[in-house]
Amino acid sequence: MGVTRWVLKSAQQALPEEAEEPVRDAPDADPAHADLDTLRQMVEVCTRCPLHRGRRRAVFGTGPRTAPFMVIGEGPGAQEDARGEPFVGRAGRLLDAMFVAMGVPRDSVYIANIVKCRPPNNRDPRPDEVASCAGWLRRQIELVRPRAILAVGRVAAQNLLSSSLSLGRLRGRVHSYGSPPLPVVVTYHPAYLLRSPHDKGKAWQDLKRLRELTGSGP
Ligand code: URA
Ligand code: SF4
């Protein structure tokens, strides 16, 4: 299936609002022994960094805990902040189309972000905000234990890999994260691909690399 088939689909239907009462605020909550459900509850009330002040909803992440790979983006945008789910805006629909091209439905992939709350005006998250949020993502990765990680965009790749190299320098080879090491493939952010569709071919190479590493898809 060719990359030129990646087209935007119509907006997905909004999911019903969660009726659950939020758990108490717990700024000193320790993620070390939390399961995914508890971790989500901790994140939804997290006040560890100033980004909590502007959020409508924290965006913990979605997907099965048995997902073969995990996609990590930068942080929620306006639509994600409103819905409480990652990658549900325009960029998300392109991401979905990329998964379809790989033969992998979105709901079989675990999707999360470097920061769980939306930075004002979609600015890059600041180093202190990333550092405050890192423990949530670290535990999330530990619990899902994917076979590989796909880092989308410069902010995700640099923070995950503790690197200041450009995206162009980071993509094209397999990196590793954590211990025991998980392979990390770096690719373009779908929002960038919407502006620069000529790079979809390179993104497709990255996805094929990811598929080889995880054995996902046809
Ligand atoms: N961009 C991201 O990096 N993450 C999202 O969840 C949405 C857009
Ligand atoms: Fe907490 Fe992360 Fe949200 Fe900051 S961005 S308040 S650390 S969940």
Side-chain angles (χ1 to χ4, degrees), residues 36 40 60-67 86 106-112 144:
L36 273 177
R40 174 189 294 275
F60 176 66
T62 52
R65 64 199 67 206
T66 54
R106 176 191 168 109
D107 61 8
S108 69
V109 177
Y110 200 96
I111 309 177
V144 176

Side-chain angles (χ1 to χ4, degrees), residues 59 73-77 80 85-88 91 113 152 189:
V59 177
E74 170 176 340
E80 291 77 21
E85 274 187 59
F87 283 105
V88 289
N113 281 308
V152 299
H189 196 285

Side-chain angles (χ1 to χ4, degrees), residues 12-79:
Q12 296 164 332
Q13 275 191 310
L15 295 175
E17 290 291 316
E18 276 176 46
E20 277 171 29
E21 278 290 303
V23 295
R24 288 180 318 282
D25 193 352
D28 56 351
D30 179 4
H33 304 291
D35 62 16
L36 273 177
D37 291 336
T38 311
L39 203 64
R40 174 189 294 275
Q41 292 179 334
M42 288 172 163
V43 165
E44 283 172 355
V45 295
C46 174
T47 55
R48 285 184 182 184
C49 90
L51 292 181
H52 80 274
R53 294 200 199 105
R55 76 175 170 224
R56 288 161 78 184
R57 299 184 57 171
V59 177
F60 176 66
T62 52
R65 64 199 67 206
T66 54
F69 68 90
M70 191 157 168
V71 174
I72 300 181
E74 170 176 340
Q79 303 204 40

Side-chain angles (χ1 to χ4, degrees), residues 112-132:
N113 281 308
I114 293 287
V115 290
K116 314 299 192 198
C117 304
R118 183 190 181 200
N121 303 315
N122 299 337
R123 65 157 169 76
D124 287 358
R126 298 191 170 125
D128 58 309
E129 295 159 352
V130 172
S132 302

Side-chain angles (χ1 to χ4, degrees), residues 7-15 79 83 85 87-94 96 106:
V7 289
L8 296 184
K9 287 186 272 178
S10 61
Q12 296 164 332
Q13 275 191 310
L15 295 175
Q79 303 204 40
R83 293 255 307 262
E85 274 187 59
F87 283 105
V88 289
R90 241 180 127 231
R93 293 201 295 281
L94 180 58
D96 293 349
R106 176 191 168 109

Side-chain angles (χ1 to χ4, degrees), residues 3 8 16 40 50 58 78 81 118 145 163 185 187-188 194 209 218:
V3 288
L8 296 184
R40 174 189 294 275
D81 177 63
R118 183 190 181 200
R145 271 190 286 122
S163 168
V185 172
T187 196
Y188 297 108
L194 287 171
R209 176 90 59 120

Side-chain angles (χ1 to χ4, degrees), residues 134-212:
W136 302 130
L137 180 63
R138 202 176 306 122
R139 179 69 180 149
Q140 213 167 7
I141 295 171
E142 201 172 274
L143 286 164
V144 176
R145 271 190 286 122
R147 293 202 281 274
I149 293 175
L150 179 70
V152 299
R154 177 185 56 82
V155 170
Q158 288 183 338
N159 285 302
L160 209 56
L161 301 173
S162 303
S163 168
S164 53
L165 291 177
S166 68
L167 187 93
R169 300 279 303 278
L170 288 171
R171 66 166 290 283
R173 64 196 163 97
V174 179
H175 302 263
S176 74
Y177 170 91
S179 167
L182 278 177
V184 179
V185 172
V186 172
T187 196
Y188 297 108
H189 196 285
Y192 166 81
L193 292 174
L194 287 171
R195 297 190 301 272
S196 308
H198 58 273
D199 274 332
K200 283 184 182 177
K202 288 199 231 159
W204 181 238
Q205 297 305 316
D206 302 331
L207 296 185
K208 284 202 295 195
R209 176 90 59 120
L210 180 73
R211 194 164 62 179
E212 281 158 23

